Amino acid sequence: MSQENEQTLEWWQKAVVYQIYPRSFKDSNNDGIGDLPGITGKLDYLAWLGVDAIWLSPFYPSPMNDGGYDIADYQNVHPNIGTLQDFERMVDRAHQLGLKVIVDFVPNHTSDQHAWFKESRSSRDNPKRDWYFWQDGKPGSQPPNNWISSFGGSAWEWDEQSGQYYLHSFLTSQPDLNWRNPDVKNAMFDVLRFWMDRGVDGFRIDVAHQIMKDPLLRDNPPNPNPMAPPGMPLRDFNMQLHVNDQEHPDVHVIYRELRALLNSYSHGQPRAAIGEIHVSSPAEWATYYGANLDEIHLPFNFGLLRAEWRSSSVRTVVDTLEKTLPPGAWPNYVMGNHDEPRIVSRIGEPSARLAMLLLLTLRGTPTLYYGDELAMHDVTIPPERIQDGWEKQSGGLGVSRDPQRTPMQWDSSPNGGFTAEGVQPWLPLADDYDQLNVKAETDQSASMLTLTHRLLQLRRVTPALVGGSYEALNNVPPDCYAFLRRSAGQTLLVALNFSGKEETVKLDQPGQGNVLLSTRLDREGPVDLSAITLRAHEACIIVLS
């Protein structure tokens, strides 16, 4: 399916994106919080690793009730994380190293500490009143409708000061912006201009599917088959079909305009849009590319992140995506991020190696989460150290995202090289950081870091992995998944064994192939294509003669 000429691909199609949670990457001034100068100091590591772009989670001024996604000023930097000058120096250094810079754009809501909301809240006749959703309640002091916050409870909060309810799709301190007001759209587009003027190459758009609501604010219908995401409790949010507070068709008008704005800044190097899209079906997800591929370049595909870790389930995700993509659209894959348990904690270390090879060999743009190249795992956070506002609001429901946001592990020194000895990091490190860290794993020939580095180096010089077509193979053992990546003059076989026992993959074609890389990192050279032996939880990349 769909072979591309690598020479015609844009940077965002060839890139491997590396997500950084700024507070957790590297602390340069020993206050326990990661910062922009710390990131700048580690860009050489990322260039060595072999990624092509960095995506920074929010670094803006914020009360930090939702990990920085409650923004108080879109055009500045949180004092704990640095300054605008620090940001510009980071971008300059990244570009010197050939790295693109993507930043988080959070269009659905602001912090209640943002100057816009303070004005909006001050009186009913304030010029910014309609920048947010303000409504009278129903009789009996009931909210305007039945919408539920993603973090639980009514999505409407009574404001005693102005005598109306305001809408918040997340925490009460995150009021939703009203994108039907053209002044809001213009102000938010100015935010994009502000960062592009400072050299930003692209934007990851937070909850991109949610910014346009039903203009009549009608109730959501009940969900006849409520299900919780894997690993999460069933919540009141899951009990509704979110057809009126999310996924409104008018959202596509906004993204066509946003894409046109990004195009106007391209100057030979496109500015890319990546969208966080959580929607009801693959077909709905695909609409965010735009009818003429004129909306979001890469609507994030979370299929693998949510899939049951079995060969058949994983293949179904990939094959469904390939069938669903609009003609000419570019695929992408995500295996981990700041909102989900780490890969190792979900499926175990042997399978995590398999997942890394899969992520970096499928057709499309992959996104890595910081620390996954080390096999970092979730960290148990003592109750007194919890930072996540969702967990604090939930009253101990177990929804905290702190365990997957802990500091990057650089070396075996106290605090793992993240911050100085004697400083308390903002979140605790894993107990085994002295073994799972960049320095230790760089020196180990079979470490997860070595595997990731070698995969990235191989991908960079292998046209079939960057622009090649994808074709799944059918006659393989049930616990295996195998596919071909083809480009002009090159065919690769990627074979993965999801089981805990040895399996044999037999190709119909006779002859020999050549193993380029195995997840075990102890196997290269000729292999008989009529009987390819895969050890437990092993995957291989094989060149076919």
Side-chain angles (χ1 to χ4, degrees), residues 410-431:
W410 294 103
D411 56 42
S412 59
S413 66
N415 286 324
F418 166 72
T419 190
E421 183 176 3
V423 176
Q424 184 180 76
W426 80 286
L427 283 174
L429 277 79
D431 291 339

Side-chain angles (χ1 to χ4, degrees), residues 20 170 179 216 240 242 249 278 307 437 490 508:
I20 294 174
F170 295 90
W179 274 79
L216 301 180
Q240 293 182 354
H242 294 273
H278 298 284
N437 63 68
Q490 184 179 57
D508 294 334

Side-chain angles (χ1 to χ4, degrees), residues 37 82 128 241 257 287 299 479:
K128 285 191 171 59
L241 294 175
E257 293 184 46
T287 65
D479 288 328

Side-chain angles (χ1 to χ4, degrees), residues 428-447:
L429 277 79
D431 291 339
D432 57 359
Y433 76 83
D434 59 333
Q435 302 168 53
L436 297 179
N437 63 68
V438 171
K439 187 175 188 306
E441 293 193 35
T442 301
D443 296 333
Q444 296 168 5
S445 61
S447 68

Side-chain angles (χ1 to χ4, degrees), residues 190-256:
D190 281 344
V191 170
L192 298 174
R193 293 184 181 96
F194 179 88
W195 293 108
M196 287 191 287
D197 286 341
R198 281 155 183 78
V200 163
D201 301 290
F203 300 91
R204 178 266 188 186
I205 306 169
D206 188 59
V207 291
H209 58 292
Q210 202 156 335
I211 64 173
M212 294 294 273
K213 281 78 171 172
D214 172 38
L216 301 180
L217 304 181
R218 287 171 286 197
D219 281 358
N220 282 327
N223 186 348
N225 185 31
M227 296 177 63
M232 296 290 288
L234 189 67
R235 302 176 288 120
D236 51 359
F237 181 81
N238 307 124
M239 307 306 288
Q240 293 182 354
L241 294 175
H242 294 273
V243 296
N244 290 319
D245 58 343
Q246 301 180 11
E247 300 182 45
H248 194 279
D250 289 350
V251 76
H252 298 288
V253 176
I254 298 294
Y255 289 126
R256 283 194 292 275

Side-chain angles (χ1 to χ4, degrees), residues 2 83 108 132 220 242 248 259 278 304 324 371 399 416 421 435:
S2 189
T83 66
N108 183 71
Y132 297 83
N220 282 327
H242 294 273
H248 194 279
R259 177 68 170 269
H278 298 284
L304 288 180
T324 305
V399 293
E421 183 176 3
Q435 302 168 53

